Amino acid sequence: MQKIELLAPAGNLEKAKIALEYGADAVYIGGKSFSLRARASNFDLKDIETLCIFAHKRHKKVYVTTNILPHDEDMVGLDAYLLGLGQAQVDAIITSSLTIILRAKQLIPQVERHISTQMSVTNHQTLHFYKQLGCQRVVLAREVSLKEMEQIAKYQLTELEVFIHGGMCSSYSGRCVLSNHLTNRDANRGGCAHSCRWNYHLLKKGKMLEKKEVFFNMGSKDLMAIHFIPQLIDMGITSLKIEGRMKSAYYLATVVRCYRMLIDQYLEKGKLEDRDYLYFEKEMAKAENRLTATGFLKGDVTVQEQLYDTRTESPTKEYVGYVLDYQPDTHRALIEQRNYFKLGDVVEFFGPTLANTTCTIIDIVDATTDERLDVARHPMQQLYISVPFDIQKGDMMRLVK
Amino acid sequence: MKQFIFEPVSFRQAKQWVKQKKVEHILIPVFDFSLSYRKGYTLKQFQYLINQKGTMKISINMMRLFHENDLERVGSFFQQIHIEDITYIFYSDLGIYQMLVAQGYQDKLVYDAHTYLTNARDVTEYANLNQNVVVSNQISIDELKTLLDNLSRSVMIHGFGQSIIFYSRRKLLTRYFEYRHLKQRTEQMTYTLQEEFRTEQYPIVEKTFGTLIYEKGFYYLFEELNQLSHVSHILIHCGTLNEKYFEKVVDSYLTNQLELLQNLPIDLSKGIMKEHSVLHKTKEN
């Protein structure tokens, strides 16, 4: 069966390393220029180079987004930036601008050019266009259904990358300027205010259609495609992409690891049972705090895919600690605190190679003062706890509620 | 010499203009291929205008995105018409470019992707591939002036209209009415949206292919037009206006009388072009 790439987002170096350690084949990141997500903590060229070295040592890849719809002022420094990315040995840029595509082809031909979902590619004829421009991969619009993906894939024009998890724009990406008009923040240059998730009154001939407290919503639930991974692998998609450069390291670790296990299990066994999907759904719920649905994968969206209820769901498990070290002879783990936990709490450890394993907190010792504690209440505090099974640096600890 | 291209409100208005030879160049929507607020013309209506046009130029608006299953209908449309009769085909889906270039119609193509053409270099690159391009009106007037000054050829710009600020494949009105169990029509109906803490209203309309939201009022460039370099054509769109008001808009531009425009009881503004957008990336040093 064909190998498929699992592509994860990363807002900073730490998250990128975690995503790769937890099973991503490649990560996509934003640099300081030309990338959306203005508020994400982005990478400077030195960070990008460091990440490329880290990834390449593990035979993994790094893609850099240069996918704003640039204004003239944004174009200053383009060549130097592209040369910098080439020097850092990034594997691809993900881009929207025709100028950036052509300059990159000229200046850094060794770096692949992938077309961003900002271009909302929805048919194979458009793939022809990008193939002729020398682009190796197209990220399909999130509005393309599974059936349409299959039709497009049959032409085998370029590599195809599709979103499988995370936030969904309510509009075609790159075609929405709602945020620009409502807040003067440029949605296509990293300033999206998510105005599609706000509350609106719907009026007919100038009069409110419903009571003042009833709102019209047009936001979308997040995408979760675990049930469709086998089909996507079978139809020849090259890369499965997780959205969310603003998400936490814990979220990334959980989601990436879950899809890694799912993909590997399918590639190994050739099929997945209902109970497998149930397991993956439960795993995902340990970090996912937004409502999810299947987007356009099954065709036109229904009421189920829309976000009418603005309540938020909380994850079923809370991330409480990151493993810095473990001594197997003493069963002592050095943990960096991420959230409140206390003696008697039941916690679950998981990691890139560690299956979910639970134990009870029987001791907490401050690693700096050696003081015995009842509770761990300070973020980033380093603590010793006893763990009766082998864990390793990079594993994570979450609270079983 | 800048030329105007007018997008009539209806087939009836287009017919009148053809008969009266009122304008030199019109842009019309066909089927559900455009993002026009109004219904697209049928093949019969399109053929009628082509047969009656005389020296008038007729261009077509095919501004939406096309999914795999739409391509057959698009191909069939091109087979049923004489593309030579059309002056330009305005499009935003590069699949259309691919289909028509393969048939040798590069000289008919005008790339108009609303939000994409926001800098001189991209405008130039796309213009090199097409007969012409339309610069986005989602940039400030100062940016537009700079952009045009940096070109070495003439391009098209938007002069008047109501920008589409949101374009979705989702049938947002239908889904909402289902969710709320409301029996409401969506076809050919205009609703407006008002954010819960604001007063401005934004027209929202559902089409066969999804949902469009338009800006609250009408943007216009008038006095500025003479100061802009490298402009070959100025597009005057009808937006949600009725025929009577749009007739005045057209007269205003044809006779260069700004007051005709300003006397209309409509919300006129420079729209998003009045100020520079914020919160984009800071550059790496």
Side-chain angles (χ1 to χ4, degrees), chain A residues 32 35 37 42 45 70-74 97 99 118 122-124 126 132 143 148 170 172 174-175 177 181-182 184 189 199 201 203-204 210 220 301 306 308, chain B residues 66-69 92-93 95 98 115-116 118-122 138 143 165 167-170 175-176 180 184 192 194 196 198 276-278 280-284:
Chain A
K32 297 279 184 194
S35 145
R37 306 289 173 269
N42 287 294
L45 284 171
H71 291 205
D72 279 301
E73 64 186 11
D74 302 313
S97 157
T99 302
Q118 279 287 95
T122 55
N123 61 66
H124 79 274
T126 310
Q132 284 169 11
E143 286 75 9
E148 290 165 341
S170 190
Y172 283 106
R175 305 282 174 144
V177 284
H181 284 255
L182 272 79
N184 198 30
R189 291 196 293 166
N199 287 330
H201 296 296
L203 295 90
K204 186 178 180 181
E210 297 196 82
S220 168
V301 295
Q306 290 300 121
Y308 295 118
Chain B
F66 296 95
H67 284 257
E68 204 57 24
N69 288 345
S92 75
D93 186 325
Q98 201 59 35
T115 52
Y116 289 171
T118 49
N119 67 79
R121 292 173 72 177
D122 280 335
Q138 302 302 311
E143 286 177 313
I165 60 174
Y167 167 28
S168 175
R169 194 185 189 186
R170 297 163 194 267
R175 296 288 95 88
Y176 178 73
R180 295 288 304 155
Q184 293 286 333
T192 48
Q194 185 180 324
E196 64 174 319
R198 302 174 192 217
H276 201 297
S277 63
V278 294
H280 57 276
K281 278 220 167 314
T282 46
K283 290 238 173 299
E284 185 172 18

Coordinates of all heavy atoms in Angstrom, one line a residue, chain A residues 32 35 37 42 45 70-74 97 99 118 122-124 126 132 143 148 170 172 174-175 177 181-182 184 189 199 201 203-204 210 220 301 306 308, chain B residues 66-69 92-93 95 98 115-116 118-122 138 143 165 167-170 175-176 180 184 192 194 196 198 276-278 280-284:
Chain A
K32 N 9.0 34.7 9.4 CA 8.6 36.1 9.9 C 8.0 36.9 8.8 O 7.4 37.9 9.0 CB 9.9 36.8 10.4 CG 10.5 36.2 11.6 CD 9.8 36.6 12.9 CE 10.5 36.0 14.1 NZ 9.7 36.1 15.3
S35 N 3.9 35.0 5.6 CA 3.1 33.9 6.1 C 1.9 34.5 6.8 O 1.9 35.5 7.4 CB 4.0 33.1 7.0 OG 3.2 32.6 8.1
R37 N -1.2 33.9 9.7 CA -1.1 33.7 11.2 C -0.2 34.7 11.8 O 0.9 34.4 12.4 CB -0.6 32.3 11.6 CG -1.4 31.2 10.9 CD -2.8 31.1 11.6 NE -3.6 30.1 10.8 CZ -4.3 30.4 9.7 NH1 -4.5 31.6 9.3 NH2 -5.0 29.4 9.1
N42 N 6.2 32.9 15.3 CA 6.8 32.4 14.0 C 8.3 32.2 14.1 O 9.0 32.7 15.0 CB 6.5 33.3 12.9 CG 5.0 33.1 12.5 OD1 4.6 32.0 12.0 ND2 4.2 34.1 12.7
L45 N 14.9 32.8 10.4 CA 15.7 31.9 9.5 C 16.6 31.0 10.3 O 16.8 29.8 9.9 CB 16.5 32.8 8.5 CG 15.6 33.4 7.4 CD1 16.5 34.3 6.5 CD2 15.0 32.3 6.5
P70 N 0.1 39.1 -1.1 CA 0.9 40.3 -0.7 C 0.5 41.6 -1.4 O 0.0 41.5 -2.5 CB 2.3 39.8 -1.2 CG 2.1 38.8 -2.2 CD 0.8 38.1 -1.9
H71 N 0.7 42.6 -0.7 CA 0.5 44.0 -1.3 C 2.0 44.4 -1.7 O 2.9 43.7 -1.3 CB 0.0 45.0 -0.3 CG -1.5 44.7 0.1 ND1 -2.3 45.7 0.5 CD2 -2.2 43.6 0.0 CE1 -3.5 45.1 0.8 NE2 -3.5 43.9 0.4
D72 N 2.1 45.5 -2.4 CA 3.4 45.9 -2.9 C 4.4 46.0 -1.8 O 5.6 45.6 -1.9 CB 3.3 47.2 -3.6 CG 2.8 47.0 -5.1 OD1 3.5 46.2 -5.8 OD2 1.7 47.5 -5.4
E73 N 4.0 46.6 -0.6 CA 4.9 46.8 0.5 C 5.5 45.5 1.0 O 6.6 45.4 1.6 CB 4.3 47.6 1.6 CG 3.1 46.8 2.2 CD 2.3 47.6 3.3 OE1 2.5 48.8 3.3 OE2 1.5 47.0 4.0
D74 N 4.7 44.4 0.9 CA 5.1 43.1 1.4 C 6.2 42.4 0.6 O 6.9 41.5 1.0 CB 3.9 42.1 1.5 CG 2.8 42.7 2.4 OD1 3.1 43.1 3.5 OD2 1.6 42.6 1.9
S97 N 1.2 33.4 -4.2 CA 1.5 34.5 -5.2 C 2.2 33.9 -6.4 O 3.2 33.2 -6.2 CB 2.3 35.5 -4.5 OG 3.1 36.3 -5.4
T99 N 4.1 35.6 -8.3 CA 5.5 36.1 -8.3 C 6.4 35.3 -7.4 O 7.5 35.0 -7.8 CB 5.4 37.6 -7.8 OG1 4.6 38.3 -8.6 CG2 6.8 38.2 -7.7
Q118 N -5.1 28.7 0.1 CA -5.5 30.1 -0.2 C -6.0 30.3 -1.6 O -6.7 31.2 -1.9 CB -4.4 31.1 0.1 CG -4.1 31.4 1.6 CD -5.2 32.3 2.1 OE1 -6.2 31.9 2.7 NE2 -5.1 33.6 1.9
T122 N -10.1 23.8 -7.0 CA -11.3 22.9 -6.9 C -11.4 21.9 -8.1 O -12.4 21.2 -8.1 CB -12.5 23.7 -6.8 OG1 -12.6 24.6 -7.9 CG2 -12.6 24.5 -5.5
N123 N -10.5 22.0 -9.1 CA -10.7 21.1 -10.2 C -9.4 20.8 -10.9 O -8.4 21.5 -10.6 CB -11.7 21.8 -11.2 CG -11.1 23.1 -11.8 OD1 -10.1 23.1 -12.5 ND2 -11.7 24.2 -11.4
H124 N -9.4 19.8 -11.7 CA -8.1 19.3 -12.3 C -7.5 20.2 -13.3 O -6.3 20.2 -13.5 CB -8.3 17.9 -12.9 CG -8.9 17.9 -14.2 ND1 -10.3 17.9 -14.4 CD2 -8.4 17.9 -15.5 CE1 -10.6 17.9 -15.7 NE2 -9.5 17.9 -16.4
T126 N -7.2 23.4 -13.1 CA -6.4 24.3 -12.3 C -5.0 23.6 -12.0 O -4.0 24.3 -12.0 CB -7.1 24.8 -11.1 OG1 -8.4 25.3 -11.5 CG2 -6.3 26.0 -10.4
Q132 N 2.1 23.2 -15.1 CA 2.9 23.9 -16.1 C 3.8 24.9 -15.6 O 4.8 25.3 -16.2 CB 2.0 24.4 -17.2 CG 1.4 23.3 -18.1 CD 0.3 23.8 -19.0 OE1 0.0 25.0 -19.1 NE2 -0.4 22.9 -19.6
E143 N -13.2 22.7 0.3 CA -14.6 22.6 -0.2 C -14.7 21.4 -1.1 O -15.8 21.0 -1.6 CB -15.1 23.8 -0.9 CG -15.4 25.0 0.0 CD -14.2 25.7 0.6 OE1 -13.1 25.4 0.2 OE2 -14.4 26.6 1.4
E148 N -15.0 14.2 -5.4 CA -14.2 15.1 -6.3 C -12.7 14.9 -6.2 O -12.0 15.0 -7.2 CB -14.6 16.6 -6.0 CG -16.0 16.9 -6.3 CD -16.6 18.2 -5.7 OE1 -16.0 18.7 -4.7 OE2 -17.5 18.8 -6.2
S170 N -15.3 29.4 6.8 CA -16.7 29.2 6.3 C -16.8 29.6 4.8 O -17.6 29.1 4.1 CB -17.6 30.1 7.1 OG -18.9 29.9 6.8
Y172 N -14.6 30.1 0.9 CA -13.5 29.6 0.2 C -12.3 30.4 0.8 O -12.3 31.7 0.8 CB -13.6 29.9 -1.3 CG -14.5 29.0 -2.0 CD1 -15.8 29.4 -2.5 CD2 -14.1 27.7 -2.3 CE1 -16.6 28.5 -3.2 CE2 -15.0 26.8 -3.0 CZ -16.2 27.2 -3.5 OH -17.0 26.4 -4.2
G174 N -9.0 32.5 1.0 CA -8.5 33.5 0.1 C -9.5 34.4 -0.6 O -9.2 35.4 -1.2
R175 N -10.8 34.0 -0.5 CA -11.8 34.8 -1.1 C -12.7 35.6 -0.1 O -13.7 36.1 -0.5 CB -12.7 33.8 -1.9 CG -12.0 33.0 -2.9 CD -11.7 33.7 -4.1 NE -10.9 33.0 -5.1 CZ -11.0 33.0 -6.4 NH1 -11.9 33.8 -6.9 NH2 -10.2 32.3 -7.1
V177 N -13.0 38.6 2.7 CA -12.5 39.8 3.2 C -13.4 40.4 4.3 O -13.4 41.6 4.6 CB -12.1 40.9 2.1 CG1 -10.9 40.5 1.4 CG2 -13.3 41.1 1.2
H181 N -13.4 44.2 6.2 CA -14.5 45.1 6.1 C -15.1 45.4 7.5 O -15.6 46.5 7.8 CB -15.6 44.7 5.2 CG -15.2 44.9 3.7 ND1 -15.8 45.9 3.0 CD2 -14.3 44.2 3.0 CE1 -15.2 45.8 1.8 NE2 -14.3 44.8 1.7
L182 N -15.0 44.4 8.4 CA -15.6 44.6 9.7 C -14.6 45.1 10.8 O -15.0 45.7 11.8 CB -16.3 43.3 10.2 CG -17.7 43.2 9.8 CD1 -17.9 42.7 8.4 CD2 -18.5 42.3 10.7
N184 N -11.1 46.0 9.7 CA -9.9 46.6 9.0 C -8.6 45.7 9.2 O -7.5 46.2 9.1 CB -9.6 48.0 9.5 CG -8.7 48.8 8.5 OD1 -8.7 48.5 7.3 ND2 -7.9 49.7 9.0
R189 N -3.6 38.6 5.0 CA -2.2 38.9 5.3 C -2.0 38.6 6.8 O -1.2 39.2 7.5 CB -1.9 40.4 5.0 CG -1.8 40.6 3.5 CD -1.1 41.9 3.1 NE -1.9 43.0 3.6 CZ -1.3 44.3 3.6 NH1 -0.1 44.5 3.3 NH2 -2.1 45.3 4.0
N199 N -21.8 36.6 16.0 CA -23.3 36.6 16.0 C -23.8 37.7 15.1 O -23.4 38.8 15.2 CB -23.8 36.8 17.4 CG -23.6 35.6 18.3 OD1 -23.6 34.4 17.8 ND2 -23.4 35.8 19.6
H201 N -27.6 39.3 13.3 CA -29.0 39.2 13.2 C -29.3 39.1 11.7 O -28.6 39.7 10.8 CB -29.7 40.6 13.6 CG -29.5 40.8 15.1 ND1 -30.0 40.0 16.1 CD2 -28.8 41.8 15.8 CE1 -29.7 40.4 17.3 NE2 -28.9 41.5 17.1
L203 N -31.8 39.8 8.7 CA -33.0 40.7 8.4 C -33.5 40.4 7.1 O -32.8 40.1 6.1 CB -32.5 42.2 8.5 CG -32.0 42.7 9.9 CD1 -30.6 42.5 10.1 CD2 -32.4 44.1 10.0
K204 N -34.9 40.6 7.0 CA -35.5 40.5 5.7 C -36.2 41.8 5.5 O -37.0 42.2 6.3 CB -36.6 39.3 5.8 CG -37.2 38.9 4.5 CD -38.2 37.8 4.8 CE -38.9 37.3 3.6 NZ -39.8 36.2 3.9
E210 N -36.0 37.1 13.4 CA -36.3 36.5 14.6 C -36.1 37.4 15.8 O -35.7 38.6 15.6 CB -35.4 35.2 14.8 CG -35.6 34.2 13.7 CD -35.0 32.9 14.0 OE1 -35.7 32.1 14.7 OE2 -33.9 32.6 13.6
S220 N -18.2 27.4 10.9 CA -18.1 25.9 10.6 C -17.5 25.2 11.8 O -16.6 25.7 12.5 CB -17.2 25.7 9.4 OG -16.9 24.4 9.3
V301 N -22.3 20.5 2.7 CA -22.4 20.5 4.1 C -23.9 20.5 4.6 O -24.7 21.1 3.9 CB -21.7 21.6 4.8 CG1 -20.2 21.5 4.6 CG2 -22.2 23.0 4.4
Q306 N -22.4 22.8 10.5 CA -22.4 24.2 10.8 C -22.3 24.4 12.3 O -22.8 23.5 13.1 CB -23.6 24.9 10.2 CG -23.6 25.0 8.7 CD -22.5 25.8 8.2 OE1 -21.7 25.3 7.4 NE2 -22.4 27.0 8.6
Y308 N -23.8 26.2 15.1 CA -24.9 27.1 15.5 C -24.9 27.3 17.0 O -25.3 28.3 17.5 CB -26.3 26.5 15.1 CG -26.5 26.5 13.6 CD1 -26.6 25.3 12.9 CD2 -26.4 27.7 12.9 CE1 -26.8 25.2 11.6 CE2 -26.5 27.6 11.5 CZ -26.7 26.4 10.8 OH -26.8 26.4 9.5
Chain B
F66 N -15.1 26.7 -10.0 CA -15.8 25.6 -10.6 C -15.3 24.3 -10.0 O -14.0 24.1 -10.0 CB -15.7 25.6 -12.1 CG -16.3 26.8 -12.7 CD1 -15.6 27.9 -13.0 CD2 -17.7 26.8 -13.0 CE1 -16.2 29.1 -13.6 CE2 -18.3 27.9 -13.5 CZ -17.6 29.0 -13.8
H67 N -16.2 23.4 -9.6 CA -15.8 22.1 -9.1 C -15.8 21.1 -10.2 O -16.2 21.4 -11.3 CB -16.7 21.7 -8.0 CG -16.4 22.4 -6.7 ND1 -15.7 21.8 -5.6 CD2 -16.7 23.7 -6.3 CE1 -15.6 22.7 -4.7 NE2 -16.2 23.8 -5.0
E68 N -15.2 20.0 -10.0 CA -15.0 19.0 -11.0 C -16.2 18.7 -11.9 O -16.1 18.7 -13.1 CB -14.5 17.7 -10.4 CG -13.7 16.8 -11.2 CD -12.4 17.4 -11.9 OE1 -11.9 18.4 -11.3 OE2 -12.0 16.9 -12.9
N69 N -17.4 18.6 -11.2 CA -18.6 18.3 -12.0 C -19.1 19.5 -12.8 O -20.0 19.3 -13.6 CB -19.7 17.7 -11.1 CG -19.4 16.3 -10.6 OD1 -18.5 15.7 -11.2 ND2 -20.0 15.9 -9.6
S92 N -12.2 33.9 -12.6 CA -11.3 33.9 -11.5 C -10.7 32.5 -11.2 O -9.9 32.3 -10.3 CB -12.0 34.4 -10.2 OG -12.9 33.5 -9.7
D93 N -11.2 31.5 -11.9 CA -10.8 30.1 -11.6 C -9.8 29.8 -12.7 O -10.1 29.8 -13.9 CB -12.0 29.2 -11.7 CG -11.7 27.7 -11.4 OD1 -10.6 27.3 -11.7 OD2 -12.5 27.1 -10.8
G95 N -8.8 27.2 -13.8 CA -9.2 26.1 -14.6 C -9.8 26.6 -15.9 O -9.7 26.0 -17.0
Q98 N -7.1 27.5 -18.2 CA -6.5 26.3 -18.8 C -7.3 25.8 -20.0 O -6.8 25.5 -21.1 CB -6.3 25.2 -17.7 CG -5.3 24.2 -18.0 CD -3.9 24.7 -18.2 OE1 -3.5 25.7 -17.6 NE2 -3.2 24.1 -19.2
T115 N -9.8 39.2 -4.8 CA -8.9 39.4 -3.6 C -7.4 39.2 -3.9 O -6.6 39.5 -3.1 CB -9.3 38.5 -2.5 OG1 -9.3 37.2 -3.0 CG2 -10.6 38.8 -1.9
Y116 N -7.1 38.6 -5.1 CA -5.7 38.2 -5.3 C -4.8 39.2 -5.9 O -3.6 39.2 -5.5 CB -5.7 37.0 -6.3 CG -6.3 35.7 -5.7 CD1 -6.5 34.6 -6.5 CD2 -6.6 35.6 -4.3 CE1 -7.1 33.4 -5.9 CE2 -7.1 34.4 -3.8 CZ -7.4 33.3 -4.6 OH -7.9 32.2 -4.1
T118 N -3.2 42.1 -5.7 CA -3.0 43.2 -4.8 C -1.6 43.8 -4.8 O -1.3 44.6 -4.0 CB -3.3 42.7 -3.3 OG1 -2.5 41.5 -3.2 CG2 -4.7 42.4 -3.1
N119 N -0.8 43.4 -5.8 CA 0.5 44.0 -5.9 C 0.9 44.0 -7.4 O 0.5 43.2 -8.2 CB 1.6 43.3 -5.1 CG 1.8 41.9 -5.6 OD1 2.6 41.7 -6.6 ND2 1.2 40.9 -5.0
A120 N 1.8 45.0 -7.7 CA 2.2 45.2 -9.1 C 2.9 44.0 -9.8 O 2.7 43.7 -11.0 CB 3.1 46.4 -9.2
R121 N 3.6 43.3 -9.0 CA 4.4 42.1 -9.6 C 3.4 41.0 -10.0 O 3.6 40.4 -11.1 CB 5.5 41.7 -8.6 CG 6.6 42.7 -8.5 CD 7.6 42.4 -7.4 NE 8.5 41.3 -7.9 CZ 9.5 40.9 -7.1 NH1 9.7 41.4 -5.9 NH2 10.2 39.9 -7.5
D122 N 2.5 40.7 -9.1 CA 1.5 39.6 -9.5 C 0.6 40.1 -10.6 O 0.3 39.3 -11.5 CB 0.6 39.3 -8.2 CG 1.4 38.3 -7.3 OD1 2.3 37.6 -7.8 OD2 1.0 38.3 -6.1
Q138 N -9.6 45.6 -3.1 CA -9.4 45.4 -1.6 C -8.1 45.9 -1.1 O -7.4 45.4 -0.2 CB -9.6 43.9 -1.3 CG -10.9 43.3 -1.7 CD -12.1 44.0 -1.1 OE1 -12.1 44.2 0.1 NE2 -13.1 44.4 -2.0
E143 N -2.4 52.6 -2.2 CA -1.7 51.4 -2.7 C -2.1 51.2 -4.2 O -1.2 50.8 -5.0 CB -2.2 50.2 -1.9 CG -1.6 50.1 -0.5 CD -2.2 48.9 0.3 OE1 -3.4 48.7 0.3 OE2 -1.4 48.2 0.9
I165 N -17.7 40.3 -0.3 CA -16.7 40.2 0.8 C -16.6 38.8 1.4 O -15.8 38.6 2.3 CB -17.0 41.3 1.9 CG1 -18.3 41.1 2.5 CG2 -16.8 42.7 1.3 CD1 -18.6 42.1 3.7
Y167 N -17.4 34.6 0.1 CA -17.9 33.7 -1.0 C -17.7 32.3 -0.5 O -16.6 31.8 -0.2 CB -17.1 33.9 -2.3 CG -17.2 32.9 -3.4 CD1 -18.4 32.1 -3.5 CD2 -16.2 32.8 -4.3 CE1 -18.5 31.2 -4.6 CE2 -16.3 31.9 -5.3 CZ -17.4 31.1 -5.5 OH -17.5 30.2 -6.5
S168 N -18.8 31.6 -0.3 CA -18.8 30.3 0.3 C -19.5 29.2 -0.5 O -20.5 29.5 -1.2 CB -19.5 30.3 1.7 OG -19.5 29.0 2.3
R169 N -19.0 28.0 -0.4 CA -19.8 26.9 -1.1 C -21.0 26.5 -0.2 O -21.9 25.7 -0.7 CB -18.9 25.7 -1.3 CG -19.4 24.7 -2.3 CD -18.6 23.4 -2.5 NE -19.1 22.6 -3.6 CZ -18.7 21.4 -3.9 NH1 -17.7 20.8 -3.2 NH2 -19.3 20.8 -4.9
R170 N -21.0 26.9 1.0 CA -22.1 26.5 1.9 C -23.4 27.2 1.6 O -23.4 28.4 1.4 CB -21.7 26.8 3.4 CG -20.5 26.1 3.8 CD -19.9 26.8 5.1 NE -18.5 26.2 5.3 CZ -18.3 25.2 6.1 NH1 -19.2 24.6 6.8 NH2 -17.1 24.7 6.2
R175 N -29.4 26.2 5.3 CA -29.0 25.4 6.5 C -29.5 26.1 7.8 O -30.0 25.4 8.7 CB -27.4 25.3 6.6 CG -26.8 24.5 5.5 CD -27.0 23.0 5.5 NE -28.2 22.6 4.7 CZ -28.1 22.3 3.4 NH1 -27.0 22.3 2.8 NH2 -29.2 22.0 2.7
Y176 N -29.4 27.4 7.8 CA -29.9 28.1 9.0 C -31.4 27.9 9.2 O -31.9 27.7 10.2 CB -29.5 29.6 8.9 CG -30.0 30.4 10.1 CD1 -29.4 30.2 11.4 CD2 -31.1 31.2 10.0 CE1 -29.9 30.9 12.5 CE2 -31.6 31.9 11.1 CZ -31.0 31.8 12.3 OH -31.5 32.4 13.4
R180 N -33.3 26.2 12.3 CA -34.3 27.0 13.1 C -35.8 26.6 12.8 O -36.7 27.1 13.3 CB -34.2 28.5 12.8 CG -32.8 29.1 13.3 CD -32.7 29.2 14.8 NE -33.8 30.0 15.3 CZ -34.3 29.9 16.6 NH1 -33.7 29.0 17.4 NH2 -35.3 30.6 17.0
Q184 N -38.7 29.7 5.0 CA -38.4 30.9 4.3 C -37.8 30.6 2.9 O -37.1 29.6 2.8 CB -37.3 31.7 5.1 CG -37.8 32.2 6.4 CD -38.7 33.4 6.3 OE1 -38.6 34.1 5.3 NE2 -39.6 33.6 7.3
T192 N -30.3 40.6 4.8 CA -29.1 41.3 5.2 C -28.7 40.8 6.6 O -29.5 40.3 7.3 CB -29.4 42.9 5.3 OG1 -30.6 43.1 6.0 CG2 -29.5 43.5 3.9
Q194 N -26.7 41.8 10.1 CA -26.2 42.9 11.0 C -25.5 42.3 12.2 O -26.1 41.5 13.0 CB -27.5 43.7 11.4 CG -27.1 44.9 12.2 CD -28.4 45.7 12.6 OE1 -29.4 45.7 11.8 NE2 -28.4 46.3 13.8
E196 N -24.2 41.7 15.8 CA -25.0 42.0 17.0 C -24.8 43.3 17.7 O -25.7 43.8 18.3 CB -24.9 40.8 18.0 CG -23.5 40.7 18.6 CD -23.5 39.6 19.8 OE1 -24.4 39.6 20.6 OE2 -22.5 38.8 19.8
R198 N -23.5 46.1 16.1 CA -23.3 47.2 15.1 C -24.6 47.5 14.3 O -25.6 46.8 14.5 CB -22.3 46.8 14.0 CG -21.0 46.5 14.7 CD -20.0 45.9 13.7 NE -18.8 45.4 14.4 CZ -17.6 45.4 13.9 NH1 -17.3 46.0 12.8 NH2 -16.6 44.9 14.6
H276 N -5.7 52.0 4.9 CA -4.7 50.9 4.8 C -5.2 49.8 5.8 O -5.4 50.2 7.0 CB -3.3 51.4 5.1 CG -2.3 50.5 4.6 ND1 -2.1 49.3 5.0 CD2 -1.3 50.8 3.7 CE1 -1.0 48.7 4.4 NE2 -0.5 49.6 3.6
S277 N -5.2 48.6 5.4 CA -5.6 47.5 6.4 C -4.4 47.3 7.3 O -3.3 47.6 7.0 CB -5.9 46.2 5.6 OG -4.8 45.8 5.0
V278 N -4.8 46.8 8.5 CA -3.8 46.6 9.5 C -3.6 45.1 9.9 O -4.3 44.3 9.4 CB -4.1 47.4 10.8 CG1 -4.1 48.9 10.5 CG2 -5.5 47.0 11.3
H280 N -1.0 43.0 9.5 CA -0.3 42.0 8.7 C 1.1 41.9 9.3 O 1.5 42.6 10.2 CB -0.3 42.4 7.2 CG 0.3 43.8 7.0 ND1 -0.4 44.9 7.1 CD2 1.6 44.1 6.6 CE1 0.4 45.9 6.8 NE2 1.6 45.5 6.5
K281 N 1.8 41.0 8.8 CA 3.1 40.6 9.4 C 4.1 41.8 9.4 O 4.2 42.6 8.6 CB 3.7 39.5 8.6 CG 3.2 38.2 8.9 CD 4.3 37.2 9.0 CE 3.8 35.9 9.6 NZ 3.1 36.1 10.9
T282 N 4.9 41.7 10.5 CA 6.0 42.6 10.6 C 7.2 41.9 9.9 O 7.3 40.7 10.0 CB 6.4 43.0 12.0 OG1 6.4 41.8 12.7 CG2 5.4 43.9 12.6
K283 N 8.0 42.7 9.2 CA 9.1 42.1 8.5 C 10.3 41.6 9.3 O 10.5 42.2 10.4 CB 9.6 43.1 7.5 CG 8.7 43.4 6.4 CD 9.3 43.1 5.1 CE 8.3 43.2 3.9 NZ 7.2 42.4 4.0
E284 N 10.9 40.6 8.8 CA 12.1 40.1 9.5 C 13.3 41.1 9.2 O 13.4 41.5 8.1 CB 12.5 38.7 9.0 CG 13.6 38.1 9.7 CD 13.8 36.7 9.2 OE1 13.3 36.3 8.2 OE2 14.5 35.9 9.9

